[in-house]
Amino acid sequence: MLLAIDAGNTNVVFALVEPGQGGAAPVIRTRWRIATDARRTGDEYAVWLNQLLMLEGFAMADVDAVIIATVVPRALHNLRTLASKYFKVEPLVAGEAGAQWGIVLDVAEPESVGADRVINAIAAHAREPGDLIVIDFGTATTFDVVDYTGAYKGGIIAPGINLSLDALVSAAAKLPRIAIEAPATASVIGRTTEDQMHIGVFWGYVAMMEGLVARMRAEIGRPAKVIATGGLAVLFDKHTSLFDRIVSDLTIEGLAMLYSRSQHG
């Protein structure tokens, strides 16, 4: 079994994966999520993971490989310690020796591209032919362009919807905290303060996505499918026709593919 670890700014996702054999797609057996804390030690991770593995009918001994992707550099040391001390393996780190990207990063500063974005590009290209726009709803919402050859061409970083809402509420003393959900009606003229906030946050975000994707497609100059990932993709999908496909575990799939490549040269 492969333990794939995706350490983001808000959460760390651990997934137990059976890598695909003979070109088959990887099978994700189970996944867990914990709030990102760069100070959390390898020992703390191990106690938490050991209990969750047992609840799912697995043991730590079932893990014989670990691959890590992180956009939080300070978290990497403790995740390496987890792998070496408790799983008795030297982990692969996405983008480093042994797990190089294997795709062209056609941007001005390739070393600054987030690991999750490159991994999403790898997984998206494996799933869909042609030009692609990958939207990932995380702490930030990222829009990434992958061309028909599989090259990463760049993209956009926008504030995540939670960040946008937090900024609005913290800067305006009289505005209440609201849940992120679709407005109760289709009207975009709110009659109460909360209605107006829902409309601004939700439909404003939909309009932002649709507008940016339209501009990206015009610049690409060829048809481009949109693949969405991240927890809020399903919520938005009910209210826009923007997404051609939603892949909830796109980053984990990409990590499993990167691991398989590392094992087969």
Side-chain angles (χ1 to χ4, degrees), residues 170-196:
S170 64
K174 293 184 69 175
L175 293 182
R177 180 162 296 280
I178 60 171
I180 296 173
E181 58 188 9
T185 72
S187 173
V188 292
I189 302 175
R191 306 276 295 193
T192 69
T193 298
E194 288 196 17
D195 285 347
Q196 292 171 26

Side-chain angles (χ1 to χ4, degrees), residues 103-110 112-114 117-118 121 132-135 142-147 150-157 216 219-220:
I103 66 170
V104 175
L105 302 184
D106 187 12
V107 292
E109 299 174 337
S112 71
V113 181
R117 301 175 76 180
V118 184
L132 302 170
I133 298 169
V134 181
I135 305 178
T142 55
F143 300 72
D144 292 305
V145 175
V146 186
D147 77 5
Y152 176 82
K153 306 294 285 186
I156 296 169
I157 302 172
M216 294 176 93
E219 191 167 332
I220 292 166

Side-chain angles (χ1 to χ4, degrees), residues 4 28 54 85 98 107-108 122 135 150 191 209 234-235 242 263:
I28 299 170
M54 289 192 295
K85 182 175 180 180
V107 292
I122 292 168
I135 305 178
R191 306 276 295 193
M209 291 189 296
V234 174
L235 172 64
L242 186 62
Q263 302 305 295

Side-chain angles (χ1 to χ4, degrees), residues 15-83:
L16 203 57
V17 184
E18 288 185 14
Q21 302 295 324
V27 178
I28 299 170
R29 290 300 182 191
T30 188
R31 67 191 65 69
W32 307 282
R33 186 181 301 266
I34 192 170
T36 300
D37 182 350
R39 299 167 301 174
R40 186 173 283 114
T41 67
D43 301 326
E44 290 173 305
Y45 280 124
V47 171
W48 178 76
L49 269 176
N50 186 46
Q51 294 179 64
L52 291 170
L53 283 162
M54 289 192 295
L55 286 171
E56 296 287 345
F58 297 103
M60 297 186 85
D62 293 325
V63 173
D64 55 16
V66 176
I67 187 167
I68 303 167
T70 182
V71 296
V72 185
R74 288 180 55 218
L76 182 56
H77 171 74
N78 290 328
L79 291 170
R80 283 185 186 272
T81 300
L82 168 71

Side-chain angles (χ1 to χ4, degrees), residues 243-261:
F243 309 143
D244 293 288
R245 181 180 292 218
I246 294 175
V247 186
S248 299
D249 292 308
L250 190 68
T251 311
I252 296 299
E253 287 186 10
L255 275 172
M257 291 175 191
L258 200 61
Y259 171 77
S260 294
R261 288 182 187 178

Side-chain angles (χ1 to χ4, degrees), residues 6 14 16 34-35 38 46 54 101 104 116 120 127 131 140 151 166 169 198 201 220 243 261:
D6 172 26
F14 294 80
L16 203 57
I34 192 170
M54 289 192 295
W101 298 129
V104 175
D116 53 343
N120 284 348
R127 275 182 166 270
D131 293 273
D166 288 346
V169 172
H198 274 120
V201 170
I220 292 166
F243 309 143
R261 288 182 187 178

